[in-house]
Amino acid sequence: MLNLFFRKNFYDGWDNVIFLFVPNLILDAMIVIAGLLCLPGFTIFKESSWYLYVWIFIAIVLVIGLSIFTLAWTETCTELVDYGSPDIKNFFGALKGCVKDGILYGLVFSIFGVIAAVGILYFFHPAEGQSVTFTGLVAGAVWTWVSLTILMGLLWYPAVRASMHNPFGKALKKCFILLFDNLGRCIILSIYNLFLVLISVIMLGLVPGMAGLEMSRTNFLRLVMKKYDYIEELDKKGEPVNSVARRKIPWKEILKEENEINPVRTAREFFFPWKQDSNK
């Protein structure tokens, strides 16, 4: 399953690399504008430290804006990874329907980020004159891992929402069900996403950027859902669906068609696809 995922996700990104620029450019512009707005806030309120509240407000507005655009892009991305041909108009057309959930998602993400950061600072950066105790280190480590787990779950929301269109609370619940039911593969995906983030920083967020990250989660979810389709079929046939059956998923069988659609490409097929088509 993972081999197919990495291959398909790379193919989808390569084939639509120009298309990915649009949402990434918009998000880059939003981040730059937010950064520029922080400068007058610091200049006006630097004497009273009120600039910190201005920065926090700008950060929350930025997160909400990023959330709305991310949800809209993922709606478009769902069609793209399903071998469709979405138009950039689909992305802008989806924005209106993503405002409500985008605000909720942005607020949840902001509140979680503040709580997680405060907890980590509390455990690992004690007040002046105090030292970090062994108990504090253990508690801080637990807090950090719990925060990372919640973060991994929250990051699934755009893909789950775009795929299932559940209400906000129900979609969030499914995010964590998906995470814990596929924990090993989700950890591998997170490591892969960190690699994409590193490339994005080098490429100034243009490639793969947010668009590429959401494409990877959308592709991953699309393949994982075939596992649940298979389990549902077993249930309909009256066969036992226990922990053993869930562990022994015949990925090769259920992903046979996907593998046929996404064969290993040669360098010629990557750089000269029109020549390959002419030979068929």
Side-chain angles (χ1 to χ4, degrees):
M1 179 263 181
L2 288 174
N3 183 42
L4 172 63
F5 161 70
F6 289 127
R7 185 167 72 248
K8 183 180 184 303
N9 194 65
F10 180 68
Y11 292 169
D12 287 344
W14 179 270
D15 294 340
N16 299 278
V17 65
I18 303 300
F19 191 44
L20 302 183
F21 281 159
V22 177
N24 286 338
L25 276 172
I26 293 173
L27 295 187
D28 276 3
M30 291 174 65
I31 293 171
V32 170
I33 292 172
L36 292 175
L37 289 175
C38 287
L39 294 178
F42 176 73
T43 303
I44 297 171
F45 298 108
K46 63 180 180 180
E47 298 297 333
S48 61
S49 297
W50 269 85
Y51 69 90
L52 291 175
Y53 297 102
V54 175
W55 286 4
I56 292 172
F57 174 76
I58 293 173
I60 293 174
V61 172
L62 175 63
V63 170
I64 291 174
L66 294 177
S67 298
I68 295 171
F69 273 84
T70 300
L71 296 189
W73 163 250
T74 311
E75 288 284 344
T76 309
C77 197
T78 301
E79 182 182 351
L80 189 151
V81 303
D82 199 27
Y83 309 108
S85 300
D87 191 273
I88 194 61
K89 294 179 181 178
N90 297 27
F91 167 61
F92 291 106
L95 285 171
K96 184 178 179 180
C98 296
V99 172
K100 179 182 177 181
D101 286 344
I103 292 174
L104 290 173
Y105 183 50
L107 289 175
V108 169
F109 217 102
S110 299
I111 293 170
F112 160 73
V114 171
I115 293 174
V118 169
I120 291 172
L121 288 174
Y122 174 78
F123 288 115
F124 291 111
H125 193 274
E128 187 176 349
Q130 297 181 356
S131 59
V132 179
T133 63
F134 176 75
T135 304
L137 283 175
V138 173
V142 171
W143 180 271
T144 301
W145 283 110
V146 169
S147 298
L148 286 175
T149 302
I150 295 174
L151 175 63
M152 288 173 62
L154 288 176
L155 288 174
W156 274 113
Y157 176 74
V160 170
R161 177 189 182 275
S163 176
M164 305 177 190
H165 293 100
N166 296 130
F168 184 76
K170 189 173 182 179
L172 274 184
K173 181 180 178 181
K174 286 187 176 181
C175 291
F176 289 95
I177 292 174
L178 174 71
L179 172 64
F180 291 116
D181 196 37
N182 303 274
L183 187 58
R185 289 185 174 86
C186 286
I187 291 174
I188 294 174
L189 176 66
S190 296
I191 296 172
Y192 174 64
N193 283 165
L194 286 174
F195 172 69
L196 294 183
V197 169
L198 177 61
I199 297 176
S200 300
V201 171
I202 296 172
M203 300 298 293
L204 301 178
L206 295 177
V207 178
M210 176 281 296
L213 288 167
E214 289 307 320
M215 176 182 286
S216 71
R217 280 189 280 269
T218 306
N219 255 321
F220 187 92
L221 179 62
R222 185 179 182 278
L223 296 179
V224 166
M225 289 306 297
K226 294 186 180 295
K227 160 186 168 180
Y228 298 105
D229 292 339
Y230 168 77
I231 292 173
E232 186 177 352
E233 286 298 318
L234 288 182
D235 187 51
K236 288 181 180 178
K237 294 177 182 177
E239 298 183 27
V241 183
N242 49 31
S243 58
V244 176
R246 286 177 172 272
R247 286 198 302 269
K248 295 184 177 180
I249 301 295
W251 287 109
K252 187 174 181 179
E253 175 187 334
I254 63 180
L255 296 177
K256 181 180 178 181
E257 183 179 352
E258 291 288 337
N259 275 300
E260 291 174 350
I261 298 173
N262 297 278
V264 177
R265 296 184 186 180
T266 63
R268 180 186 179 87
E269 290 171 322
F270 267 117
F271 296 103
F272 307 104
W274 60 90
K275 292 185 178 182
Q276 182 66 21
D277 292 339
S278 64
N279 292 332
K280 291 182 180 180

